[in-house]
Amino acid sequence: MSAAPGRGMAPRSPSSIEVPERVAAKRPPGSGTRLGWPLGFVSRLGGQAQIGLGLLLAQALGMAAWSAVLWQRFALTYDYSIYHQAWWLIGHGHLDPFSTILGLPFWQNNFELMMWPLGLLGALWPHGPVLLWFQDACLSCAEGVAWLWVCEAQAHLPSRHHWVLGSIGIALLLANPWAWWVISFDFHMEVVALPLVLLAAYDLAHHRRRAWLWVLLALMCGDAEASWVLGIGVGAILAGPRWWRSGLAIAAIAAGWLFMSVFLHGDSGGSVQGAYGYLAGAAATSKGGVPALIAGVLTHPQTVLVQLWQRRPEIWANLAPGGVIGMLIPWVLGPALLALLASELASGLTFAAPLFQSVILYVIVPMGSALAITRVHSRWPRVAIAVGCILVANALAWTSIWSGYIPQRWLRVSPAAAAVLARAAARIPASAEVVASQGVAGRFSDRPFLYPVLSPRQQIPLRVRDTWWILAPTVGIETESARAGDSVVAQLAGPLGMNLVMHGGGVWIFHWTHPVSVTTLRLAGPSSQLPAWLFPGAAGRAQLSGPEVKWRLVARGKPGYVIAGDYWREPPGTYTATVALNARGPVNLEVWNATSEVLLARLTVPQTRAPTVVSLSVNAEHLYPHQVFQGWGPFEGGFPGPPRDDQLEIRVWTPGGALISIGSIGLERVR
């Protein structure tokens, strides 16, 4: 017996992706159950749906384990500290948290109001990688919604084809390497919004009023996610006349939310004008704000088209693993198109490459591809299966090429460095102010005052007298050059005379109780002369007893490099390298191009009878190719290219057995 369309039922329309009613009575029991609430319906699903959910659960557990590794190794950066500090403050009763990382109230960070409900989780369990695990759960839930949507659309198929197409669908959802990249890079509210957006689209497609709840919750995740909600409205309009009214209403609400965020300065963490003003010209945006920006884009659409054409490698990399044909489904095309435009039209390359800002593409595009294949199967079964197999092979190729690169890209903190950071984290009180290199700042954000080191000559506010300084110039994903970070370490130990508490693995921990009169501190800029004790090689040891002026790097007595690991990113040219040393035996002074491991210059010094400054002329005019993995052929990732300058490295080698003491090293450009 059939039921009339109504609340909770999908309309019988060619544009709907629901199973036709005339075949609903022929389904196996429980094979096409719609999403219900609560999600206690899993036991009523068919075997294929349960197996798919089991595979997604296994993936979720793997992601949780990987997140735990990243957390234990302190591989959490600036972005994580933004959210974790606000989460920790809200959980500790600070209901209007101020982000010292951004320098503004947290609610102005793209209007991400969802952090306040998440703060309840922080109040219950504020320790460990719980915030990362919550992110993993959100991504897995979104994939689960997409999978059940696919199962519903395929429920009317014959049993054999049902399993074949179902296997294609779950493979496309699982075999997307960018999902792992997203959960490897800190925490971002886009992932929290993802299941809400999927649920909103599903319920809207089935004419359920509950869709409005998901829309509201998704908007609370931020103004960036509001563009996805706007895309849901666009998708509803494209789906057919029966969704036009709802689609227009949702699109209007999302656009209104975006304008409200701009009006209230909720987008101060990343303003619309700052990201997209170049599309209309600076003059237009400065005079009229967002309306002038929209008018400028509409009157000069060629700028948008040129930008999209230039970003075609990034667009392809974002869409290809999921199967581009998924964009043919209206419910996918709307949010996917808006997500692409938002990321690819932003100024610079920061948001263009595959990452968290495009995470919605890594779920709905594979889902759309599975739905598109299901539709094709009704007329051309063999064609549908053949296309599905090609898409799965393509997705597996992307995964095999890029998955192995994940640890190299995101796990850049050694166990030795993590051990030092763990001892420091256990010792630093929550009331103290922490200044940390941005590549390892994330784990130290459980406090009111944290300032990441982002650039040379940065001015650091000193809010409390008890300050701890965590410098790791070559550890983690750093935005500043190693030379700039090394210069700050030299400044803290030398002119400022801070207390060096511990060090190791490239990490330096200082403690400073500053005078009451000191309220700010300007960090040092990159220096052409650095203390040698910063760079002990395999045959060297930092001797740090007594005052800093007496600190030296000494030889261990075995053959090898006494000094190594000093990196100077410099353009092509001619340089002079200097080493202040006292050697009672022969040593080699060498300068290497560390980018390609090429020896540029070498000087053998028999011995010195007293402390001596040895100079060496270096010809570094040739620019060597940078070995940065970008994929290959049609599987290139579309990531920003390697830095233009080479890394130069000064090394001192000894055959062993001699007393060697090195005070400083330097590198200056001659021409």
Side-chain angles (χ1 to χ4, degrees):
M1 179 176 180
S2 61
R7 180 181 174 184
M9 302 294 294
R12 305 184 194 96
S13 168
S15 61
S16 173
I17 60 172
E18 193 190 355
V19 181
E21 184 184 5
R22 63 178 179 273
V23 300
K26 301 179 182 180
R27 299 176 183 168
S31 62
T33 306
R34 296 183 192 168
L35 285 170
W37 185 264
L39 298 182
F41 63 94
V42 176
S43 61
R44 301 194 301 273
L45 297 175
Q48 175 181 288
Q50 292 179 356
I51 292 175
L53 290 177
L55 293 173
L56 291 174
L57 177 60
Q59 181 197 52
L61 294 176
M63 287 182 170
W66 174 241
S67 294
V69 171
L70 293 171
W71 186 85
Q72 291 171 353
R73 292 278 285 272
F74 287 77
L76 300 169
T77 70
Y78 171 87
D79 284 31
Y80 182 82
S81 63
I82 294 174
Y83 293 97
H84 188 256
Q85 184 189 48
W87 181 70
W88 185 87
L89 288 172
I90 294 172
H92 284 73
H94 302 274
L95 299 184
D96 186 16
F98 185 87
S99 174
T100 57
I101 296 99
L102 296 171
L104 45 79
F106 179 80
W107 69 269
Q108 290 186 301
N109 182 44
N110 299 315
F111 217 40
E112 294 174 327
L113 305 182
M114 184 58 73
M115 184 54 72
W116 273 258
L118 290 184
L120 298 176
L121 183 62
L124 296 174
W125 192 9
H127 306 293
V130 61
L131 201 57
L132 298 178
W133 288 339
F134 181 78
Q135 177 176 248
D136 301 336
C138 288
L139 179 55
S140 298
C141 285
E143 292 176 332
V145 173
W147 167 239
L148 294 176
W149 201 339
V150 170
C151 289
E152 181 185 275
Q154 295 178 351
H156 67 285
L157 299 176
S159 177
R160 179 169 59 87
H161 292 174
H162 184 210
W163 281 93
V164 172
L165 293 187
S167 300
I168 292 173
I170 195 63
L172 290 176
L173 284 170
L174 290 172
N176 194 311
W178 309 135
W180 286 84
W181 282 59
V182 168
I183 62 105
S184 297
F185 182 29
D186 295 333
F187 173 92
H188 295 93
M189 199 62 74
E190 284 85 348
V191 188
V192 177
L194 187 56
L196 303 173
V197 172
L198 264 291
L199 287 168
Y202 179 89
D203 279 342
L204 183 62
H206 292 79
H207 293 277
R208 291 179 174 171
R209 295 180 181 177
R210 191 174 58 203
W212 296 99
L213 171 63
W214 306 127
V215 165
L216 175 61
L217 293 176
L219 290 175
M220 289 178 62
C221 291
D223 49 21
E225 294 78 358
S227 64
W228 301 355
V229 177
L230 178 62
I232 293 176
V234 174
I237 295 171
L238 296 175
R242 302 199 59 163
W243 290 274
W244 284 357
R245 180 179 298 179
S246 298
L248 286 171
I250 288 178
I253 291 173
W257 187 273
L258 286 169
F259 275 100
M260 181 175 65
S261 174
V262 174
F263 178 76
L264 297 176
H265 302 290
D267 66 337
S268 299
S271 68
V272 174
Q273 292 174 248
Y276 305 102
Y278 76 98
L279 295 172
T285 56
S286 61
K287 292 179 181 179
V290 175
L293 170 61
I294 296 175
V297 170
L298 293 177
T299 55
H300 300 87
Q302 67 275 10
T303 306
V304 174
L305 297 177
V306 169
Q307 179 74 355
L308 292 176
W309 175 253
Q310 293 176 346
R311 297 287 172 82
R312 61 191 185 278
E314 290 80 12
I315 294 174
W316 170 253
N318 273 300
L319 295 177
V324 182
I325 66 171
M327 299 284 284
L328 298 175
I329 302 299
W331 297 104
V332 173
L333 177 60
L337 182 60
L338 267 294
L340 273 177
L341 291 175
S343 59
E344 302 302 332
L345 292 179
S347 59
L349 293 173
T350 304
F351 298 114
L355 213 52
F356 66 90
Q357 66 279 350
S358 301
V359 64
I360 190 172
L361 302 176
Y362 316 144
V363 178
I364 63 170
V365 173
M367 179 191 77
S369 296
L371 296 176
I373 292 170
T374 302
R375 291 188 178 185
V376 172
H377 182 274
S378 62
R379 297 191 63 180
W380 302 290
R382 293 183 178 178
V383 172
I385 293 175
V387 171
C389 291
I390 293 173
L391 292 183
V392 170
N394 169 71
L396 292 175
W398 279 93
T399 298
S400 63
I401 291 171
W402 284 99
S403 293
Y405 188 60
I406 291 175
Q408 180 181 350
R409 178 67 177 85
W410 301 110
L411 190 59
R412 296 188 179 182
V413 182
S414 67
V420 175
L421 293 168
R423 293 200 304 271
R427 186 168 175 178
I428 301 174
S431 59
E433 176 179 324
V434 170
V435 182
S437 295
Q438 79 93 28
V440 296
R443 282 278 302 272
F444 297 93
S445 52
D446 52 348
R447 64 195 63 255
F449 304 113
L450 169 72
Y451 295 95
V453 178
L454 301 173
S455 61
R457 301 181 180 88
Q458 179 181 344
Q459 187 162 307
I460 303 294
L462 301 176
R463 305 293 297 275
V464 296
R465 294 191 64 195
D466 185 19
T467 61
W468 290 74
W469 301 69
I470 302 167
L471 279 299
T474 58
V475 176
I477 302 171
E478 293 295 340
T479 54
E480 65 169 357
S481 69
R483 179 160 66 110
D486 293 330
S487 300
V488 174
V489 177
Q491 177 193 18
L492 302 186
L496 293 175
M498 292 189 186
N499 178 33
L500 179 61
V501 178
M502 62 186 77
H503 68 94
V507 178
W508 304 85
I509 311 294
F510 293 89
H511 182 225
W512 186 35
T513 303
H514 61 81
V516 178
S517 59
V518 179
T519 58
T520 59
L521 175 64
R522 183 174 296 277
L523 301 181
S527 174
S528 60
Q529 295 287 327
L530 292 171
W533 49 262
L534 280 167
F535 314 108
R541 175 176 59 85
Q543 191 176 76
L544 307 178
S545 58
E548 189 272 340
V549 293
K550 295 184 177 181
W551 291 3
R552 293 290 185 271
L553 184 64
V554 298
R556 292 179 178 270
K558 61 181 182 180
Y561 286 108
V562 180
I563 186 171
D566 54 298
Y567 300 116
W568 314 69
R569 188 166 293 283
E570 301 290 346
T574 302
Y575 295 85
T576 297
T578 58
V579 177
L581 56 76
N582 186 4
R584 300 298 179 86
V587 295
N588 287 344
L589 171 59
E590 303 172 355
V591 178
W592 289 72
N593 184 308
T595 300
S596 298
E597 281 299 306
V598 175
L599 178 63
L600 300 178
R602 174 185 287 158
L603 173 66
T604 299
V605 180
Q607 65 176 349
T608 62
R609 298 182 180 275
T612 304
V613 176
V614 181
S615 301
L616 176 62
S617 179
V618 183
N619 183 350
E621 295 182 351
H622 179 71
L623 189 65
Y624 287 87
H626 292 239
Q627 302 299 322
V628 178
F629 184 71
Q630 295 284 336
W632 51 270
F635 307 106
E636 291 187 1
F639 294 98
R644 299 178 59 183
D645 300 333
D646 283 339
Q647 281 197 147
L648 306 182
E649 181 184 9
I650 300 173
R651 303 177 187 176
V652 175
W653 181 87
T654 174
L659 296 176
I660 300 171
S661 174
I662 307 175
S664 64
I665 59 174
L667 187 69
E668 294 189 6
R669 183 180 178 121
V670 177
R671 60 180 176 84

